[in-house]
Amino acid sequence: MSGRVGGAGGGGAADARARGRAQSSGTAPPLGLCCSAGFGARIPGRPSMAVEEEGLRVFQSVKIKIGEAKNLPTYPGPNKMRDCYCTVNLDQEEVFRTQIVEKSLCPFYGEDFYCEIPRSFRHLSFYIFDRDVFRRDSIIGKVAIRKEDLQKYHNRDTWFQLQHVDADSEVQGKVHLVLRLSEVITDSGVVCHKLATRILECQGLPIVNGQCDPYATVTLAGPCRSEAKKTKVKKKTNNPQFDEVFYFEVTRPCSYNRKSHFDFEDEDVDKLEIRVDLWNASNLKFGDEFLGELRVPLKVLRQSSPHEAWYFLQPRDNGSKSMKPEDLGSLRLNVVYTEDHVFSSDYYSPLRDLLLRSADVEPVSASAAHILGEVCREKQEAAVPLVRLFLHYGRVVPFISAIASAEVRRTQDPNTIFRGNSLTSKCIDETMKLAGMHYLHVTLKPTIEEICQSHKSCEIDPVRLKDGESLESNTENLRQYVDRVFSVITTSGLSCPTVMCDIFFSLREAAAKRFQDDLDVRYTAVSSFIFLRFFAPAILSPNLFQLTPHHTDPQTSRTLTLVSKTIQTLGSLSKSKSASFKESYMAAFYEFFNEQKYADAVKNFLDLISSSGRRDPKSVQQPILLKEGFMIKRAQGRKRFGMKNFKKRWFRLTNHEFTYQKSKGDPPLYSIPIENILAVEPLEEESFKMKNMFQVIQPERALYIQANNCVEAKAWIDILTKVSQCNQKRLAVYHPSAYLNGHWLCCRASSDTAAGCSPCTSGLPANIQLDIDGDRETERIYSLFSSYMTKLEKMQEACGSRSVYDGPEREEYSTFVIDDPQETYKTLKQVITGVGALELEHAQHRRDKFKRTKYGSQEHPIGDKSFQSYIRQQSETPAHSM
């Protein structure tokens, strides 16, 4: 809103501190380019990020649909409207930002975001901001979901009331504390106590307004006293190492029944507490920012002295007046949080081998993979891990060919072939989404960007025409766009990935064999996927396919809808195309394309992508954009003189080079050929007192880069590592810290060419498109089988019933496809055995973890509510059920 002078509610010191914390990255990270994910599956080309536990790996991921906000408070000005956006935060770290919705109190966002979570966290938070032209954007309210509560809202559209935000409630991080109470005999012979409080370190403190200079105050407080002491300020770190000890006189007689001879004669040690407050030393006029506190009653020393533990920082209850939730409005969200606990590969061998044999089982309906599709509530649930597993082991084409042939044999009408939401359709959809993402981008992205930027009006519905618009001009604009999109699609056959072409070939052969009298079925079997389920949805919703960073504005969205409808009809090769449109204006518009050349182009394209003797697309060498976005880089010292300062640049990675420029679209300032990347590794925070830094190591020097947040840093490191994995001169060792002031900070070596002192990260798969963890996918399939165990047992009963009884089938059994009851029963028995064995392993691991876990450790600090919930669950779980 241009001309805005101030944010909501005026904004005082606490509000300013809270704003700075929630926007710690300082600028909006361009995460829409690489982290918002369509398809509802993990992003191809994005490796998983596992947290290691003893005996297994733990993967965390979250998929979020940010719907809309409603009833936001009006702006205190004549306009009353707001320009709002929503951020997604892991604790206080922003990892995604929606686009701004202008002039609305009920903004609709409609954006999806997916990421693998590379670290532990306590809250998944959502902040609604009001954009301010002249000052820092103001926070309207937030939704904070504790990690342990995420399953309550799993995959459900939920309205959350926005809560008030102030600096005292915005905390994160943990503190390592040691308390020791020692007896001291005074000159008068009375025994009293001296308390030693040692602050060792803190971890994970929030970054406020782009910096963190923390210090701690330590207070001994009781009913009659309050004595405070303070640590030194640690500059530019959110993981400060204090290691300072403070002593307090705790005056108490040796007998509780005798009056004290000291000033605090009624004071009891059990009534005292140590309070540790963390602060950020700030130069702002508002004063130092509160980062969190912890309170430890001294009665803990009765159990053990010394008392040593990690504590989570807690918010401060300052008794301030809070707004009613309904005053701030609400936000609609759909959150899917997933944790995968993955064992080593050998644990999964029996179940994995059973699944990988599915393509060879006769009939395929008796295979383990097909059975998974039968018992899952939604076919998509089964298709996602199955396709990824089969792609990883090179078995996806035989499996899809087998289930497609079986489905074609059951199809009676060629006009309905592959039109349902069957396991075959969902598996092919998932394969196209994984293997075809780069193909989709290379083919459509330039044209979609042109449509979005040119902003030409293409409305051809006479009822929707605006004043001053010309129907003829709009029709011509739309015709040109359709021609352009149609051309880039039908000339892209050589770029279609091999795995998709092999699948299309099997579909074409199966359909032609089943319906020999229908000469077009070999085309419609393929076009129903490549046009109807691949290109048309991407044109309709380009943000879901990462073709645009956010959903498009209403006018562009309408244009893309009309283009998508036309392309879908052109690709369908239906006999009566104009009749396929409900709207008369679309039927009239389609007459422009009622020429044989369009049908011929579609058939030639479909022939090419479904031919077994086609040219290998890998021989078509063209740059493929893998990732792009703003980051901050340090000057490399290529000039002999000059400051090695930090500058914000637009980075761009293709399969040919890694470049940066001042802004998107500018000519590159510097380019690194992929073959010159020797290693890509994290850079220790202490090098420049900056978080989320990594280094791209070249033959002459290293390029130091800071990403916007931990998710982005991990994503850049992994995609750069993968694209350079096959380089012959890759390093085996590197320096984890920078070369500053004449030596390496890590090993103190003085030569800037000294060999590295730490081993490089172990190799990642070199395939950019598909980086899949087979064990993780098998674990997910196990979890699905386990959750649908009741239906597996029902399916066993159905097999037994069909084997011995030919009469009317029970209704509960009729939903299962069972072509061979005996073979299906045999597979079911193997599945249930394999799932049971894995369940025993998980139960044993839970028992072992329960025994060795210590509350108050660095992994599970005191105040960890998720761990308290875990303890409660374990104590309530009978031994036999574990």
Side-chain angles (χ1 to χ4, degrees), residues 271-290:
K271 294 179 181 178
L272 297 175
E273 68 175 11
I274 280 289
R275 190 180 77 238
V276 179
D277 296 274
L278 267 295
W279 300 86
N280 179 46
S282 173
N283 296 321
L284 298 177
K285 61 182 179 180
F286 303 120
D288 295 349
E289 292 99 347
F290 174 75

Side-chain angles (χ1 to χ4, degrees), residues 82-101:
R82 296 183 182 273
D83 300 343
C84 297
Y85 60 91
C86 178
T87 68
V88 180
N89 292 51
L90 292 175
D91 296 320
Q92 308 303 317
E93 183 178 14
E94 180 182 327
V95 294
F96 179 70
R97 184 179 295 192
T98 68
Q99 67 178 358
I100 296 171
V101 178

